[in-house]
Amino acid sequence: MSTPFPFTAVVGQDDLRLALLLNAVSPAVGGVLVRGEKGTAKSTAVRALSALMPEVDVVAGCRFSCAPGSPDPACPDGPHEVGPGARRPARMVELPVGASEDRLVGALDIERALAEGVKAFEPGLLADAHRGILYVDEVNLLHDHLVDLLLDAAAMGASYVEREGVSVRHAARFLLVGTMNPEEGELRPQLLDRFGLTVEVAASREPDQRVEVVRRRLAYDDDPEGFAARWADEESAVRARIVAARELLPSVRLGDGALRQIAATCAAFEVDGMRADIVMARTATALAAWDGRSDVLAEDVRQAALLALPHRRRRNPFDAPGLDEDKLDETLEEFGGRDENEGDDDPDPDGPGGGGQPPENGPEGGPQDGSQDGSQDGPQEGADGSEPGGDEAARPQAGESGQPGASDAGEQQAVRAGEPFRTKVLSVPGLGEGAAGRRSRARTEHGRTTGTRRPRGALTKLHLAATVQAAAPHQRARGRSGRGLVVRRDDLRQATREGREGNLVLFVVDASGSMAARQRMSAVKGAVLSLLLDAYQRRDKVGLVTFRGSAAEVALPPTSSVDAAAVRLESLPTGGRTPLAAGLLKAHDVLRVERLRDPARRPLVVVVTDGRATGGPEPVALAGRAARLFAADKVASVVVDCESGPVRLGLAGQLAGELGGTPVTLDELRADSIAGLVRDVQGSNRRAA
């Protein structure tokens, strides 16, 4: 087994280390979600924590880690008698993103069932993680069916398995730790709330600290055992401090004043439910114990709020997590309790009173880890020296019906998106086989069983009843003599299941002068933002192509980070001619490349335009030829018609016909009448033909 990087050798990342240590002191805090860019020691710190966890006493031979002093009466390996047990290190179990449901919760031992004819339960990762750490790297990419199982186990402290003739319940209480890169997509709100604490990590911009990171990493890679030995004393000191804090924890007093501050803080930041109050109380208590105190102070409440509230105060998926520290300080001062320290102690925002951090071995003065990912990409008012003006925005409206030069308006400043609204489901017709999601029908590994088939390649989901039925008629001919069935490869049957897949939703947005009227562009952006919210909820990948002036550009390559698409949309300027053909050709090229990268993910193209095409020779004919490329590839598409005014040319409807897609106006996008819109794309293709 490889030697892990020492926890105390991690440079900086004080918030991350503190959050992990508080959970080691009090697992009831509820785990940690670590958000941050790649290469910021997220996984390194989490894996190093397991070496600091105190050892646990278990019943010898119990696969479910029952405590010898109070064994679980419902343990599948029980009943156990109360008595001395064996001591072993706390486990850290890693849940791979692509794990199967059977691997997570356990299942019938198929080998013993078929060979010996007995029902035996094979434990999964939840059983292994009981009284230890369950670590999920890239937790935001975890499939929904696994998220549901984790939510159930985290809520009940137990895992229930009811499948394939097996009915098992066993304890599953673990410290849940997840790491994620927000650029790859966000986390489901239900699972997000299950993490007690969250921390944002970022690479230091301080040269001395970066030098120290590289120096330590190279030293570790050259000699892991020797490097770990040099940090053994610091590791032992932190391990002893965790043990001492655990012993002190039951005697820590959470006074009425601190409770009042906790309640007032949660109310002030409008967090949902009461879980935040409970987590803050447990975190503040753990902070006091970690600092060696028996009373919770205002600084403990403040630090607990910074760790427990940022991910809970988000009001919609595109709000970045964070906390207004000025507002936090005002709330704590207003609701200061009688049993708190009097006076303004100016608590250190990086830790509780200086004693709440692990031993400092790296360079001091590193940047705070709570920076917001993507903050530099926020909406930018203004564009490259453009001159805003109402006449410029209105001019293309009147002149784009046929004169190529009439739409050459100057670039306009970006306008804010209108208020988002709830949209109906747009889905791709047919039955796909893409990544699990919530949009279109698909054959999936998890979902409703619709039939069986012979396995093609490796068997991934055995249909037990169909397999037994296929093998049963041949038992006498195969010379069966014992209890078990004689099963051969030809007898195996794969379950076919139907669920939902996520799609690639590619937005092709007209940002030309004909769309530049500020009121109309605000409504257009609001509509696209609404569709982005829908894509976020349905676990889609999204991409953004814009066209204006003389060319088109990929504003955002296909990604799972819907937040990034919303940021690009917000800062999108408008103006110039309408190179519709260039936009469609650029989108077609994006789909071609993405098809090579992810061939199973089916695309849905959403073209947002008024249908006008200007610039260059024969722009309308060229746009029609570009649109027919999508129809030839049978790409599902929707054209959101943004034309307005008393005179409508119907150009967007013509474009939808060329695409083989369906037109819908901005008003219809808000209405219930568009339910099942894209499901009729094939019918539209036939009508267009």
Side-chain angles (χ1 to χ4, degrees):
M1 185 169 123
S2 60
T3 303
F5 192 91
F7 186 86
T8 51
V10 174
V11 178
Q13 309 296 19
D14 292 338
D15 286 345
L16 169 58
R17 292 191 292 160
L18 178 61
L20 292 171
L21 289 170
L22 292 177
N23 275 273
V25 170
S26 176
V29 166
V32 186
L33 175 64
V34 187
R35 298 166 44 94
E37 59 197 26
K38 52 188 175 292
T40 49
K42 301 188 298 294
S43 299
T44 298
V46 173
R47 292 189 174 100
L49 176 67
S50 61
L52 300 179
M53 296 289 286
E55 293 184 333
V56 294
D57 293 321
V58 297
V59 173
C62 178
R63 296 175 298 167
F64 302 89
S65 302
C66 282
S70 56
D72 183 0
C75 175
D77 283 356
H80 303 301
E81 295 184 0
V82 177
R87 174 162 289 197
R88 63 162 176 78
R91 293 174 180 156
M92 190 188 76
V93 177
E94 295 197 39
L95 172 60
V97 169
S100 67
E101 185 176 331
D102 292 347
R103 186 70 189 96
L104 179 61
V105 300
L108 178 69
D109 189 332
I110 298 296
E111 183 178 351
R112 292 190 63 189
L114 295 179
E116 303 175 22
V118 298
K119 287 197 300 184
F121 179 69
E122 184 176 3
L125 296 177
L126 290 180
D128 293 340
H130 179 47
R131 303 178 66 199
I133 303 171
L134 182 62
Y135 171 48
V136 189
D137 193 13
E138 306 295 351
V139 65
N140 51 325
L141 304 182
L142 200 63
H143 288 225
D144 280 349
H145 66 282
L146 298 181
V147 170
D148 293 337
L149 294 170
L150 275 182
L151 288 172
D152 289 342
M156 298 182 294
S159 175
Y160 292 83
V161 183
E162 300 283 348
R163 55 191 308 170
E164 298 164 345
V166 174
S167 179
V168 172
R169 175 263 178 209
H170 65 83
R173 291 182 295 275
F174 45 81
L175 169 58
L176 180 61
V177 180
T179 56
M180 60 174 282
N181 183 351
E183 294 178 358
E184 297 173 340
E186 278 296 343
L187 199 60
R188 268 179 61 181
Q190 295 94 329
L191 184 56
L192 186 66
D193 188 52
R194 283 293 174 186
F195 286 97
L197 310 180
T198 185
V199 291
E200 297 277 335
V201 296
S204 171
R205 300 297 182 256
E206 173 62 39
D208 289 342
Q209 197 169 48
R210 295 175 74 97
V211 166
E212 186 64 20
V213 170
V214 175
R215 181 181 292 119
R216 294 187 187 184
R217 186 70 213 188
L218 293 178
Y220 171 78
D221 291 341
D222 290 341
D223 183 11
E225 291 80 9
F227 184 82
R230 291 196 292 274
W231 291 88
D233 291 343
E234 288 80 357
E235 293 281 287
S236 297
V238 173
R239 192 178 298 110
R241 189 173 175 184
I242 292 174
V243 173
R246 282 192 172 190
E247 294 175 352
L248 178 61
L249 187 65
S251 61
V252 173
R253 188 175 71 91
L254 183 64
D256 290 342
L259 279 173
R260 184 174 177 81
Q261 286 184 315
I262 289 170
T265 301
C266 292
F269 286 99
E270 300 180 0
V271 297
D272 295 329
M274 295 297 298
R275 183 173 286 117
D277 303 62
I278 296 170
V279 170
M280 272 191 66
R282 290 171 174 166
T283 304
T285 304
L287 279 162
W290 174 250
D291 207 27
R293 290 181 275 102
S294 58
D295 286 296
V296 173
L297 306 180
E299 60 207 50
D300 299 325
V301 176
R302 185 184 195 278
Q303 183 66 51
L306 293 174
L307 293 172
L309 295 188
H311 61 302
R312 291 188 166 90
R313 62 154 296 275
R314 301 177 64 178
R315 309 314 298 172
N316 70 65
F318 301 147
D319 283 344
L323 218 59
D324 184 340
E325 295 194 29
D326 291 336
K327 181 178 179 180
L328 173 61
D329 291 335
E330 291 173 3
T331 303
L332 293 176
E333 183 176 354
E334 180 181 355
F335 291 91
R338 291 191 305 262
D339 54 353
E340 301 293 335
N341 283 354
E342 295 184 0
D344 188 358
D345 295 330
D346 189 20
D348 178 8
D350 292 330
Q357 302 297 340
E360 283 295 336
N361 300 299
E364 297 180 358
Q368 189 160 340
D369 298 331
S371 60
Q372 302 296 325
D373 285 312
S375 58
Q376 70 274 17
D377 293 328
Q380 300 173 4
E381 290 296 319
D384 309 330
S386 61
E387 298 182 22
D391 294 339
E392 293 276 286
R395 190 185 310 156
Q397 290 262 73
E400 271 207 1
S401 57
Q403 291 79 10
S407 64
D408 201 7
E411 184 178 284
Q412 307 297 309
Q413 288 186 337
V415 299
R416 296 190 64 84
E419 191 67 25
F421 52 87
R422 187 173 183 83
T423 67
K424 292 294 184 179
V425 180
L426 308 179
S427 59
V428 179
L431 196 63
E433 294 183 339
R438 296 182 172 185
R439 184 171 295 278
S440 306
R441 293 175 56 227
R443 284 183 289 268
T444 60
E445 288 295 317
H446 308 276
R448 179 171 55 90
T449 300
T450 58
T452 63
R453 61 174 173 83
R454 293 179 185 270
R456 296 190 293 267
L459 177 69
T460 57
K461 205 70 179 178
L462 178 72
H463 194 290
L464 183 59
T467 299
V468 171
Q469 187 176 6
H474 308 290
Q475 296 306 296
R476 181 175 298 177
R478 294 174 183 174
R480 172 186 170 187
S481 59
R483 295 177 58 189
L485 288 174
V486 180
V487 179
R488 295 181 180 171
R489 172 73 184 178
D490 290 343
D491 301 326
L492 298 179
R493 294 295 182 269
Q494 174 93 26
T496 57
R497 301 190 174 190
E498 182 177 313
R500 294 280 171 177
E501 67 176 359
N503 297 111
L504 166 60
V505 182
L506 182 61
F507 294 93
V508 186
V509 180
D510 184 349
S512 64
S514 67
M515 304 281 288
R518 299 182 73 85
Q519 185 175 2
R520 193 197 324 180
M521 198 61 199
S522 177
V524 168
K525 285 187 175 183
V528 178
L529 183 63
S530 303
L531 292 169
L532 282 171
L533 282 164
D534 183 68
Y536 165 82
Q537 294 165 350
R538 299 187 186 282
R539 314 291 284 180
D540 295 317
K541 290 179 71 173
V542 297
L544 179 62
V545 173
T546 63
F547 57 94
R548 65 186 179 90
S550 60
E553 66 171 340
V554 181
L556 183 72
T559 175
S560 297
S561 178
V562 182
D563 299 50
V567 171
R568 299 294 197 281
L569 176 72
E570 192 74 25
S571 59
L572 177 67
T574 58
R577 296 179 182 270
T578 311
L580 177 58
L584 295 175
L585 290 173
K586 179 68 72 174
H588 190 269
D589 189 55
V590 169
L591 294 184
R592 179 184 60 80
V593 174
E594 192 64 20
R595 195 176 294 118
L596 297 175
R597 293 174 176 169
D598 192 357
R601 189 181 291 269
R602 296 186 295 164
L604 170 63
V605 176
V606 180
V607 184
V608 185
T609 181
D610 55 11
R612 292 177 171 86
T614 62
E618 299 183 346
V620 176
L622 185 59
R625 288 197 295 271
R628 287 191 288 274
L629 293 175
F630 291 86
D633 291 341
K634 294 183 173 56
V635 175
S637 60
V638 173
V639 177
V640 180
D641 184 359
C642 301
E643 192 174 30
S644 62
V647 179
R648 295 175 182 257
L649 303 178
L651 299 177
Q654 296 176 25
L655 175 63
E658 299 280 6
L659 286 166
T662 306
V664 56
T665 66
L666 285 174
D667 291 337
E668 291 171 338
L669 197 61
R670 295 175 177 270
D672 295 338
S673 59
I674 66 166
L677 189 64
V678 188
R679 288 197 291 270
D680 297 329
V681 168
Q682 288 180 330
S684 299
N685 284 336
R686 288 192 293 271
R687 290 192 297 272

